[in-house]
Amino acid sequence: MSAAELEIEGLTLRYGGLTAIDGLDLRVETGSLDGLIGPNGAGKTSVFNAICGLARGGSGAILLRGERIDLLSPDARARRGLARTFQNLRLFKEMTALENVLAGMHAEIGGSLVEILTRLGRFRSKERAAVREARDLLAFVGLDAAAGTLAGSLSYGDQRRLEVARALAGRPNLMLLDEPAAGMNPAETAGLNDLLGEVKARGVAMLLVDHDMSLVSAFATGSPC
Ligand SMILES: Nc1ncnc2c1ncn2[C@@H]1O[C@H](COP(=O)(O)OP(=O)(O)O)[C@@H](O)[C@H]1O
Ligand SMILES: [Mg+2]
């Protein structure tokens, strides 16, 4: 059997006396879209933090395409093709949509804003191609008209789409989506469903967590939300 995009074996993570993840096994195949459902507090975000390297000190093995990553830095994991979105959006609200996507091209998961802006400055002077690619990604998520809009001025649904574009900017093989439909109205959720279908068609594997069934089951059945 060939290596899966993501394999988790016996992942356990404790915060002091609280066991947030207890012996989780999980496998995500290349190019597939899988969902994890659980109520608030079940440990979903903790699983993502462990995969991305934002939560350290867990035990068990995490492999990307057959290679152990659980001792690597968040940046090193991102460079191996891992990207994520956050349950509580982490956009740079005082930067434009285009600048947010450019920031995502640095395969950043855990870096500081200063680091990202420093590298962004280098991009500005050198990389016209990066701007073109960022504009293409904005068009892909339906935000081409909003390139110059401050992220914080976008509607909530559009901010979530912008997070997807920023995550894609690192050219991931695997994207982790933490409650991407949270706070969306039904029309926005249906649009997100379509968008994630298009992401899948690009060959990007996705692992999606949510606290209710709607978005995850829409993918399982292929029906619109
Ligand atoms: N950094 C942290 N320190 C201590 N406890 C945490 C931390 N992050 C999450 N927890 C706790 O771990 C449990 C799982 O949280 P979380 O992973 O955020 O769940 P979910 O995303 O499924 O709602 C909760 O009881 C939460 O309070
Ligand atoms: Mg969560």
Side-chain angles (χ1 to χ4, degrees), residues 45 87 178-179:
T45 297
Q87 181 173 354
D178 196 346
E179 307 215 18

Side-chain angles (χ1 to χ4, degrees), residues 13-16 18-21 37-49 54-55 87 178-179 209-211:
L13 182 70
R14 295 190 180 87
Y15 302 112
L18 176 85
T19 302
I21 309 169
I37 303 167
N40 286 334
K44 303 179 299 297
T45 297
S46 297
V47 170
F48 278 10
N49 287 342
L54 299 183
Q87 181 173 354
D178 196 346
E179 307 215 18
V209 299
D210 216 336
H211 64 271

Side-chain angles (χ1 to χ4, degrees), residues 84 90-91 132 148:
R84 75 175 289 180
R90 289 203 188 173
L91 293 165
R132 272 201 302 280

Side-chain angles (χ1 to χ4, degrees), residues 86 88-97 100-101 113 150-152 154-156 158-167:
F86 289 88
N88 306 313
L89 293 158
R90 289 203 188 173
L91 293 165
F92 302 124
K93 293 190 183 239
E94 302 301 321
M95 290 165 59
T96 66
N100 270 275
V101 178
L113 180 57
L150 293 184
L154 295 172
S155 72
Y156 195 68
D158 283 351
Q159 290 189 32
R160 289 230 171 255
R161 298 174 83 87
L162 180 56
E163 270 226 332
V164 171
R166 189 177 64 178

Side-chain angles (χ1 to χ4, degrees), residues 12-206:
T12 295
L13 182 70
R14 295 190 180 87
Y15 302 112
L18 176 85
T19 302
I21 309 169
D22 187 8
L24 176 73
D25 294 325
L26 183 74
R27 190 178 163 96
V28 176
E29 300 297 338
T30 300
S32 76
L33 198 164
D34 292 291
L36 268 182
I37 303 167
N40 286 334
K44 303 179 299 297
T45 297
S46 297
V47 170
F48 278 10
N49 287 342
I51 297 170
C52 292
L54 299 183
R56 311 306 289 256
S59 59
I62 305 173
L63 296 89
L64 270 189
R65 290 182 302 287
E67 187 193 356
R68 284 283 293 261
I69 59 160
D70 43 81
L71 296 177
L72 300 178
S73 69
D75 275 359
R77 299 181 200 202
R79 284 194 296 275
R80 281 166 177 74
L82 183 64
R84 75 175 289 180
T85 66
F86 289 88
Q87 181 173 354
N88 306 313
L89 293 158
R90 289 203 188 173
L91 293 165
F92 302 124
K93 293 190 183 239
E94 302 301 321
M95 290 165 59
T96 66
L98 183 70
E99 287 167 337
N100 270 275
V101 178
L102 284 167
M105 286 182 180
H106 305 281
E108 273 292 342
I109 291 180
S112 74
L113 180 57
V114 171
E115 268 170 15
I116 291 169
L117 291 177
T118 307
R119 294 188 204 172
L120 190 57
R122 285 210 294 272
F123 256 160
R124 278 221 180 87
S125 59
K126 285 185 185 163
E127 297 278 354
R128 294 269 167 249
V131 173
R132 272 201 302 280
E133 191 179 333
R135 286 189 181 278
D136 286 349
L137 279 172
L138 284 175
F140 178 69
V141 302
L143 290 176
D144 30 346
T149 304
L150 293 184
S153 306
L154 295 172
S155 72
Y156 195 68
D158 283 351
Q159 290 189 32
R160 289 230 171 255
R161 298 174 83 87
L162 180 56
E163 270 226 332
V164 171
R166 189 177 64 178
L168 288 172
R171 298 186 184 177
N173 300 111
L174 173 66
M175 183 159 65
L176 310 177
L177 297 144
D178 196 346
E179 307 215 18
M184 283 188 169
N185 65 38
E188 288 171 332
T189 304
L192 177 72
N193 187 12
D194 291 343
L195 173 62
L196 297 188
E198 288 169 30
V199 173
K200 185 168 184 284
R202 288 186 161 201
V204 178
M206 281 169 280

